[in-house]
Amino acid sequence: MEWEVVIGLEIHAQLATKTKIFSSASTAYGAQPNTQACAVDLGLPGVLPVLNQEAVKMAVKFGLAIGAEMAERSVFARKNYFYPDLPKGYQISQMELPIVGKGELTIELEDGSERIIGVTRAHLEEDAGKSIHGHTQGQTGVDLNRAGTPLLEIVSEPDMRSAKEAVAYMKKIHTLVQYLEICDGNMQEGSFRCDSNVSVRPKGQKELGTRAELKNINSFRNVERAINVEIERQIELIEDGGMVVQETRLYDAEKNETRSMRSKEEANDYRYFPDPDLLPVVLEQEMIDEMRASLPELPDAKRDRFVSELDLSRYDASVLTSSRELANYFESVLAASNNNDPKLCANWIITQLSGALNKTSLEIDDSPISAKQLAGLLIRISDNTISGKIAKQIFDVLWNGEGDDADSIIEEQGLKQVTDSGAIEAIVDEVIANNADQATQYRAGKEQLLGFFVGQVMKASKGKANPAQVNEILKAKLAG
Ligand code: ADP
Ligand code: MG
């Protein structure tokens, strides 16, 4: 039997407002417990929520970025359940009338193919507090700092067909909300979280299979692993004659397995109803237009522009636009090097710089080499002052903070490339004389020895001879 996998994601993006969605308490991360929860967040009687307009604007930006239908009128509803970290006894969310309706985005897969994934809706809601276990022996603490933090819940259509597609979609949203500056995307701090709904069905069947929901997995890697083990579990279960039950499951990363948390029968009936404390949200066209005008160049548009205007490969353009910071860095390097060689800039950022950053777990914003410094180095490669090999040495010097800029390092260490053909000829003559045997073999037809000679000449010149000239002169001399 051939199985088809079906996945839909619910992503919670914490909106980057300074204050909470219905109160003026701060949303800053990491404060002492319960120092950022005011009477509204504590659910004290007699207080009223006041909607934070910034949260609404951010939701609108997101909707516009995915070409979604915007709700002229949306309504907050109470989602009732009992839990210690939810003092009001209900969460304010949006149910029937969400602020953002249907939209879509395009994901790109590793093989370069593209798929369109539907977004069903995105709605505003408040976050709950946090239970803290193990702080006090035998007791559980409740920290309400997070209560009332604005969230945008982004619900996808069940359009994804593999764990890889799900991760590609999640990354796309992750990149997008950061471009829009509506969410910091920090997964460790819980600012970007994802629930994955997974089911399988026999290939060709129209109806969806019964799904399990995998809760709150906090890294891209674990989302992929969790979905894959869940797919395996469901297929095995069905093939052994069993049935998947609709339930919430927890992923245990250590054991790489999912475990039942609660089944549908145990699930809450949330008794949603419109919140009488809040007016419907009415979006005015003027505000929507203002938000549209404030949108930055979005990742797909930037990628396409890098391809069409700068002649970068699609792959390079995708990598460079995968984060707004990286794209900004690239554009700064390009500008500082007078736009002379986009391909060279792209190569050095994608291979050399990103490699060094990865090795040391640094983000592009913390790069020890500034865009200006890298540009200074690339200019000297372009104008043939130095070879690529010497450039790597200089890169290391800059990386280690042992020099200010490429020009002064070239000057101090005498790294200027030798382009004087007389000087190169002298070295070539010497190398050929010292390797007479190889020269005879080369002349007898063993042409692959050219590489050996190039290596010897480069070594004798301490890497400073211009490689193109070395090649040319060597060939001429060996032929003669
Ligand atoms: P709920 O109200 O229980 O959250 P929704 O209908 O809102 O359920 O769906 C939640 C998410 O689950 C959506 O992203 C949707 O695409 C996905 N989904 C729904 N049915 C399936 C299914 N059979 N298999 C996989 N994903 C599904
Ligand atoms: Mg849901």
Side-chain angles (χ1 to χ4, degrees), residues 173-473:
I173 299 262
H174 189 244
T175 299
L176 187 60
V177 294
Q178 290 178 86
Y179 263 76
L180 296 170
E181 293 179 314
I182 63 171
C183 171
D184 68 19
N186 190 323
M187 293 172 82
Q188 272 83 47
E189 292 177 5
S191 309
F192 191 84
R193 326 195 278 263
C194 174
D195 302 336
S196 313
N197 296 272
V198 180
S199 67
V200 297
R201 62 182 169 190
K203 212 162 196 142
Q205 177 182 304
K206 262 210 125 91
E207 307 83 70
L208 295 174
T210 306
R211 73 187 144 119
E213 182 177 5
L214 310 175
K215 276 270 176 214
N216 280 339
I217 310 168
N218 64 0
S219 74
F220 294 120
R221 194 175 109 87
N222 281 343
V223 167
E224 184 169 340
R225 294 172 75 210
I227 291 175
N228 280 329
V229 288
E230 178 60 18
I231 293 169
E232 247 176 71
R233 184 190 74 87
Q234 292 186 10
I235 293 177
E236 239 167 69
L237 182 66
I238 301 172
E239 288 185 344
D240 287 347
M243 262 171 41
V244 175
V245 291
Q246 188 172 335
E247 61 181 354
T248 304
R249 297 180 72 83
L250 266 189
Y251 176 63
D252 180 336
E254 233 156 74
K255 294 191 179 137
N256 193 30
E257 64 179 30
T258 65
R259 278 197 301 274
S260 180
M261 206 168 113
R262 55 181 132 85
S263 71
K264 202 188 172 192
E265 290 78 59
E266 301 160 61
N268 288 295
D269 169 5
Y270 293 119
R271 295 167 290 124
Y272 278 99
F273 63 88
D275 192 316
D277 287 345
L278 287 155
L279 291 168
V281 182
V282 175
L283 295 181
E284 279 166 2
Q285 193 56 43
E286 202 184 328
M287 190 264 253
I288 296 179
D289 293 342
E290 186 193 318
M291 287 302 105
R292 197 189 304 276
S294 78
L295 291 181
E297 183 181 27
L298 297 178
D300 287 359
K302 214 186 244 307
R303 179 200 60 208
D304 294 347
R305 181 170 62 80
F306 284 180
V307 172
S308 63
E309 272 181 19
L310 305 176
D311 209 23
L312 294 187
S313 71
R314 201 177 155 85
Y315 174 81
D316 285 0
S318 291
V319 173
L320 290 172
T321 52
S322 63
S323 91
R324 189 171 176 170
E325 290 76 23
L326 191 62
N328 284 346
Y329 187 95
F330 168 73
E331 292 192 288
S332 303
V333 174
L334 198 58
S337 60
N338 308 320
N339 292 315
N340 81 71
D341 193 342
K343 183 78 199 156
L344 184 73
C345 292
N347 276 344
W348 274 76
I349 291 172
I350 292 172
T351 21
Q352 204 67 24
L353 183 65
S354 295
L357 290 169
N358 278 345
K359 231 188 254 164
T360 44
S361 297
L362 286 175
E363 299 292 332
I364 187 74
D365 280 349
D366 307 317
S367 168
I369 301 185
S370 70
K372 197 164 164 242
Q373 285 175 315
L374 186 59
L377 178 62
L378 301 185
I379 288 171
R380 293 300 164 240
I381 300 176
S382 295
D383 70 8
N384 272 325
T385 304
I386 52 171
S387 65
K389 194 162 173 213
I390 295 286
K392 282 183 188 151
Q393 283 178 35
I394 298 174
F395 180 93
D396 289 340
V397 175
L398 289 171
W399 178 270
N400 295 324
E402 291 159 354
D404 295 333
D405 57 68
D407 282 350
S408 62
I409 298 166
I410 293 168
E411 185 65 40
E412 273 161 32
Q413 305 196 8
L415 297 174
K416 216 169 152 188
Q417 178 159 258
V418 177
T419 52
D420 168 6
S421 49
I424 297 175
E425 276 182 36
I427 301 173
V428 168
D429 287 338
E430 195 188 315
V431 166
I432 294 178
N434 289 343
N435 299 280
D437 277 359
Q438 282 88 344
T440 313
Q441 288 173 38
Y442 178 91
R443 286 172 180 136
K446 205 171 169 193
E447 285 185 7
Q448 62 270 40
L449 278 172
L450 184 67
F452 162 79
F453 281 106
V454 172
Q456 293 299 309
V457 174
M458 291 310 290
K459 199 167 150 196
S461 75
K462 301 205 172 63
K464 290 190 289 188
N466 175 293
Q469 281 175 291
V470 169
N471 256 286
E472 199 180 305
I473 294 170

Side-chain angles (χ1 to χ4, degrees), residues 68-75 97-101 281-283 288:
E69 296 160 16
M70 308 297 301
E72 252 171 67
R73 183 173 167 280
S74 62
V75 170
L97 295 170
I99 185 160
V100 176
V281 182
V282 175
L283 295 181
I288 296 179

